[in-house]
Amino acid sequence: MTDTMRAAVVPEPGAEFELVEREVPDPGPGEVRVAVEACGICRSDEFVVEGSYPGVSYPRVPGHEIAGTVEAVGDDVDAWEPGERVGAGWHGGHCFACEACRRGQFLQCENAEITGLSFDGGYAEYATVPAEALAAIPDDLDAVDAAPLLCAGITTYNALRNSDARAGDLVAVVGIGGLGHLGVQYAHAAGYETVAVSRSPDKEPLARDLGADHFVNAAEEEPAERLRELGGASVVLTTAPASDAVESVVGGLGTDGSVIVTGIPGEPVSVDAQQLVGTRGAVEGWGSGHARDSQDTLEFSALRDITPEIETYALDDVADAYDRMVENKARFRVVLEP
């Protein structure tokens, strides 16, 4: 191993990426050094690039969809050994001591760290990560496929498996993009009667290939009305970050149904309380998960051959890759291969 590595750094909020040469970091106590094979580029990386997340210090290496191999472990690390394949997602570690941690709710840790925000992430050849933030990657899952599953994958998979939906229930996925194209696959693999909802009718063939039993063209018909015709949805997973997309499906819930928001709109969402009262329905949110959730996602994806649609880029092309994501031109996840 060389003494230096290449990394894509954001020097200050709003600045362009800089490709720099740095010393390879040594893992501290409780940390693991990961040789990064792939790192997904996510919409949430804008928090670092634009400086819109509180507490981020600069310069900072973004990236919270890391897939790679353990190269070295710090003191007090017994769970991981060099050579093991691992991934790290949004949740970058927890304190084990706060009230949430004492209840096992690690994602709600009062002192939680975020990969690529609290510490340097995966837009680099190496990254050091807290040992508790790592998930094992199955041998038959490529690193470039595993990386997006550590954010888009875990968010949709975890939201669905923690819902009250059961096999055979009607489950709709709104938006067939970076999150939604995985949500459709998970819904189908879980045995739900799966509905894909999109304003892009040209995505219908893809949605059906991914496992959708029904397709709703939201540009031409009311999604809520169509969901009611199908019997009412137990779950509507909204992945499109638009308030009107969320509002358009609340009326399509069946009894005790839930709209689960994973794509976060930039504006408040208005709902008809009478509709919710009438169905005992709910509008709720879901965000990613901890490392064990990531590992469950990876294992289920490998078991059912669920992979993301990706575009790959070299680290040299980080600016182009990031712009591709920001401009919504990617189909559907962008992955760096440092």
Side-chain angles (χ1 to χ4, degrees):
M1 192 193 81
T2 61
D3 295 330
T4 61
M5 69 172 189
R6 299 172 70 241
V9 173
V10 179
E12 60 184 10
E16 296 183 356
F17 287 102
E18 292 182 359
L19 285 170
V20 301
E21 197 84 10
R22 285 184 167 185
E23 290 187 1
V24 174
D26 289 323
E31 293 182 340
V32 172
R33 182 170 68 223
V34 178
V36 181
E37 297 175 34
C39 184
I41 294 180
C42 177
R43 175 71 61 177
S44 297
D45 293 341
E46 286 187 87
F47 288 140
V48 178
V49 176
E50 301 300 331
S52 55
Y53 199 92
V56 177
S57 59
Y58 293 84
R60 176 62 74 221
V61 178
H64 60 269
E65 299 178 3
I66 301 172
T69 304
V70 174
E71 191 177 74
V73 300
D75 293 339
D76 304 322
V77 175
D78 299 319
W80 304 104
E81 296 180 354
E84 291 185 299
R85 303 183 70 223
V86 293
W90 175 264
H91 183 67
H94 42 275
C95 71
F96 295 98
C98 70
E99 186 63 20
C101 284
R102 292 182 64 199
R103 295 183 182 277
Q105 298 170 345
F106 299 128
L107 195 63
Q108 279 68 48
C109 172
E110 296 171 12
N111 305 295
E113 295 189 307
I114 301 173
T115 307
L117 279 80
S118 305
F119 55 88
D120 285 336
Y123 288 22
E125 293 177 323
Y126 296 92
T128 55
V129 180
E132 75 271 15
L134 292 174
I137 298 177
D139 289 338
D140 52 355
L141 194 60
D142 290 341
V144 292
D145 291 327
L149 299 180
L150 293 159
C151 186
I154 185 179
T155 298
T156 51
Y157 173 74
N158 223 16
L160 289 173
R161 73 165 177 168
N162 282 283
S163 74
D164 292 329
R166 297 294 180 262
D169 286 353
L170 190 74
V171 170
V173 178
V174 179
I176 310 302
L179 289 167
H181 87 287
L182 289 167
V184 170
Q185 293 182 73
Y186 290 129
H188 171 74
Y192 304 140
E193 183 179 356
T194 304
V195 185
V197 181
S198 175
R199 295 185 61 84
S200 302
D202 61 316
K203 290 184 178 179
E204 180 173 0
L206 171 65
R208 292 193 179 276
D209 287 344
L210 295 175
D213 300 294
H214 311 278
F215 183 85
V216 177
N217 177 4
E220 295 184 358
E221 57 183 320
E222 292 294 332
E225 182 178 339
R226 180 64 178 133
L227 292 176
R228 288 195 300 270
E229 290 174 357
L230 291 170
S234 294
V235 168
V236 182
L237 185 70
T238 64
T239 68
S243 57
D244 59 349
V246 179
E247 294 163 0
S248 71
V249 293
V250 175
L253 293 176
T255 302
D256 295 325
S258 295
V259 174
I260 304 178
V261 179
T262 57
I264 304 173
E267 299 178 352
V269 175
S270 298
V271 298
D272 186 337
Q274 184 171 340
Q275 288 180 332
L276 295 181
V277 171
T279 60
R280 296 201 304 256
V283 177
E284 57 191 89
W286 191 271
S288 66
H290 52 67
R292 182 64 245 191
D293 295 325
S294 289
Q295 190 162 322
D296 290 346
T297 302
L298 295 169
E299 291 171 350
F300 184 80
S301 300
L303 179 68
R304 289 290 177 255
D305 195 26
I306 294 173
T307 55
E309 298 276 333
I310 61 171
E311 299 177 0
T312 59
Y313 292 81
L315 193 60
D316 286 340
D317 300 321
V318 61
D320 291 338
Y322 179 82
D323 289 345
R324 180 92 172 153
M325 179 277 299
V326 169
E327 296 168 3
N328 291 319
K329 294 181 179 178
R331 191 176 175 114
F332 288 104
R333 305 296 294 190
V334 178
V335 180
L336 293 174
E337 293 186 278

